[in-house]
């Protein structure tokens, strides 16, 4: 007998809405980053483990980029937590562990295919180029790494929390240890090295998000997901403890300017202090970004931010439709920039267009959320 379809209200109330609120918030700042790329045409993307760091003309330019660093670590961490909560809910409805792993494998493959055939054309077209699926080198971005981390993480969903935390720490520490044995001559990399460990451009791939470092963040999220499944309130408090500890550890680790930074700080200003290696994520980068994300999550779980977790809050609507929002916002801001501002607006004039884009996306995401929640749990639409 087919299972009864839940209403939107029942689906929302059954979820941990502070997680959706955090996801919605980091999607807002991610959209700011991409509006900066498509509309302002002033998007730096060079916080690499080699080469030059980005420079900024003023604090606004730095803030516009820096606030968006909350997005990628938050996405991978939330994905890990969400995978556990999904697995727990499906086991209660009779799914086997094999069926759950198969679901995540299919969804991971879909994310990788969306990277190649949907996201990549958006970047090319929105930047003024032709609408094409083929590019050399092929861009390997966040959907690829999310998909890869989902496929591998699905195999570890039922592992002990302590083991997950140990592997997570090992992957992040190992990235820095291994990277010291490589030079910036990325043309010598094998495709495996690029796709799984070290970003860079070769004739085959342009990689920003290799799988293994970001799998470490995903496994940290899976560990947290187990805590959420056991006792959400206690997990929120743990998020605060971890968040504060991460921020406290960031300061001396960054000040020492050695291990944990991947490369030395460039310059002596406060901007240089906060300008960390993102590709691949340095330990200091993750401490700062996840420290803020986890602290925000605790804040969303308190009554003081209750408005942010109501059903019609933009944070909840966006947070419950992340993949739809992601694809739609790339084409929307790409259209705005390509059609109206091919030479760019500059950063201050971009901000109103960022808000216009969010206002246009809200009803679309609300309608999609309503449609998706009307589908059966085994519907193909649940993959999106």
């Amino acid at each position: 007998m087919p299972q009864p379809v839940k209403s939107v209200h029942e689906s929302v109330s059954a979820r941990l809405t502070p997680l959706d609120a955090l996801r919605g918030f980091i999607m807002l700042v991610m959209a700011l980053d991409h509006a900066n790329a498509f509309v302002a045409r002033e998007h730096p993307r060079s916080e690499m483990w080699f080469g030059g760091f980005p420079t900024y003309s003023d604090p606004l330019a730095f803030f516009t980029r820096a606030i968006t660093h909350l997005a990628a670590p938050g996405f991978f961490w939330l994905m890990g937590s969400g995978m556990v909560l999904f697995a727990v809910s499906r086991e209660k409805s009779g799914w086997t562990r094999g069926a759950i792993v198969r679901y995540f494998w299919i969804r991971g493959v879909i994310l990788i295919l969306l990277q190649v055939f949907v996201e990549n054309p958006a970047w090319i077209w929105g930047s003024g180029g032709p609408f094409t699926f083929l590019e050399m080198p092929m861009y390997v971005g966040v959907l690829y790494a999310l998909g890869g981390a989902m496929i591998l993480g699905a195999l570890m969903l039922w592992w002990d929390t302590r083991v997950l935390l140990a592997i997570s720490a090992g992957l992040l520490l190992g990235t820095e240890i291994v990277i010291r044995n490589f030079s910036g001559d990325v043309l010598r990399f094998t495709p495996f090295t690029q796709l799984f460990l070290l970003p860079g451009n070769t004739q085959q791939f342009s990689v920003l998000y290799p799988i293994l470092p970001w799998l470490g963040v995903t496994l940290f999220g899976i560990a947290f997901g187990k805590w959420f499944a056991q006792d959400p309130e206690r997990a929120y408090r743990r998020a605060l403890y971890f968040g504060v500890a991460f921020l406290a550890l960031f300061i001396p680790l960054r000040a020492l300017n050695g291990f944990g930074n991947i490369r030395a700080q460039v310059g002596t200003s406060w901007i240089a202090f906060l300008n960390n290696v993102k590709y691949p994520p340095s330990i200091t980068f993750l401490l700062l970004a996840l420290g803020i994300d986890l602290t925000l999550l605790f804040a969303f779980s308190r009554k003081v931010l209750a408005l942010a977790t109501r059903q019609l809050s933009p944070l909840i609507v966006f947070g419950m439709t992340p993949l739809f929002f992601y694809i739609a916002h790339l084409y929307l801001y790409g259209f705005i920039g390509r059609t109206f501002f091919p030479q760019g607006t500059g950063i201050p004039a971009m901000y109103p267009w960022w808000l216009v884009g969010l206002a246009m996306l809200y009803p679309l995401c609300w309608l999609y959320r309503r449609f998706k929640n009307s589908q059966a749990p085994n519907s193909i639409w649940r993959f999106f």
Side-chain angles (χ1 to χ4, degrees):
M1 180 180 296
Q3 299 181 14
V5 176
K6 294 182 179 180
S7 69
V8 173
H9 176 74
E10 290 171 331
S11 298
V12 172
S13 62
R15 297 168 66 102
L16 298 180
T17 51
L19 293 174
D20 288 321
L22 176 62
R23 187 182 298 108
F25 175 79
I26 64 178
M27 288 169 68
L28 295 184
V29 298
M30 173 201 66
L32 175 62
D33 192 44
H34 297 157
N36 194 21
F38 289 129
V39 180
R41 307 286 184 185
E42 294 192 20
H43 178 253
R45 196 172 63 183
S46 56
E47 299 94 347
M48 297 286 289
W49 64 279
F50 65 92
F53 264 113
T55 57
Y56 299 93
S57 58
D58 55 59
L60 178 63
F62 172 72
F63 170 81
T64 302
R65 175 60 173 170
I67 189 66
T68 67
H69 290 330
L70 302 180
F75 280 139
F76 284 91
W77 184 85
L78 284 164
M79 183 181 75
S81 294
M83 289 172 68
V84 174
L85 296 174
F86 178 92
V88 169
S89 70
R90 290 302 182 264
E91 282 187 313
K92 290 180 179 178
S93 63
W95 285 31
T96 65
R97 289 186 176 183
I100 293 169
V101 170
R102 184 166 61 251
Y103 171 90
F104 284 126
W105 282 2
I106 294 173
R107 190 168 187 179
V109 170
I110 289 174
L111 288 173
I112 293 172
L113 292 176
L114 287 174
Q115 172 74 68
V116 177
F117 295 106
V118 180
E119 179 183 354
N120 287 0
W123 284 110
I124 299 170
W125 179 78
S127 299
F131 186 83
T132 177
F133 300 112
L134 301 177
E135 55 177 329
M136 292 302 293
M138 179 176 292
Y139 173 59
V140 178
V142 69
L143 287 185
Y144 157 80
L146 285 167
M150 178 175 286
I151 291 170
L152 296 177
L155 300 173
M156 309 180 208
L157 280 175
W158 295 275
W159 290 13
D160 184 81
T161 302
R162 292 168 295 183
V163 174
L164 292 169
L165 292 174
I167 297 175
S168 174
L171 286 171
L172 299 175
L173 291 170
T175 297
E176 175 132 1
I177 293 170
V178 171
I179 206 170
R180 293 172 178 268
N181 296 318
F182 285 85
S183 69
D185 184 10
V186 297
L187 295 177
R188 299 174 60 185
F189 289 178
T190 65
F192 179 88
T193 301
Q194 270 195 285
L195 293 173
F196 282 86
L197 184 59
L198 295 180
N201 296 328
T202 65
Q203 294 180 347
Q204 295 173 296
F205 300 106
S206 175
V207 178
L208 285 183
Y209 292 90
I211 290 176
L212 291 180
W214 294 104
L215 175 61
V217 182
T218 303
L219 295 181
F220 180 51
I222 290 176
F224 247 97
K226 293 176 178 291
W227 293 332
F228 281 120
Q230 294 168 0
D231 186 343
E233 281 303 314
R234 187 177 181 186
Y236 291 135
R237 291 194 297 272
R238 274 183 170 154
L240 176 63
Y241 302 152
F242 271 96
V244 172
F246 283 0
L247 293 174
L249 182 57
F250 164 78
I251 296 173
L253 198 61
R254 185 59 172 157
L256 290 172
N257 207 21
F259 187 87
N261 294 275
I262 290 186
R263 55 182 296 192
Q265 177 179 322
V266 177
T268 58
S269 67
W270 65 270
I271 289 179
F273 187 81
L274 297 174
N275 208 8
N276 299 281
V277 174
K278 180 181 180 181
Y279 307 111
S282 64
I283 294 171
T284 50
F285 175 85
L286 292 174
L287 288 174
L288 180 58
L290 283 175
I292 295 173
D293 282 335
L294 293 172
T295 305
L296 278 173
L297 177 63
F298 176 79
F300 285 130
S301 73
R302 301 301 96 180
K303 291 183 179 180
V304 67
L305 291 179
L307 286 175
T309 57
R310 291 185 177 178
Q311 286 188 52
L312 296 181
S313 163
L315 299 189
I316 298 299
V317 172
F318 293 152
M320 292 184 66
T321 55
L323 186 56
F324 178 85
F325 178 99
Y326 185 78
I327 298 300
H329 97 284
L330 288 177
Y331 282 94
L332 175 59
Y333 287 114
F335 172 79
I336 293 173
R338 181 185 177 108
T339 304
F340 301 108
F341 308 107
Q343 304 304 316
T345 62
I347 291 177
M350 172 272 298
Y351 270 82
W353 288 101
W354 167 58
L355 296 175
V356 167
L358 295 177
M360 295 174 68
L361 287 164
Y362 177 81
L364 297 176
C365 290
W366 185 86
L367 289 170
Y368 182 76
R369 182 187 72 164
R370 183 171 183 173
F371 166 75
K372 181 178 176 180
N373 285 335
S374 70
Q375 304 302 302
N378 58 352
S379 168
I380 190 174
W381 291 104
R382 293 286 181 171
F383 286 109
F384 303 95

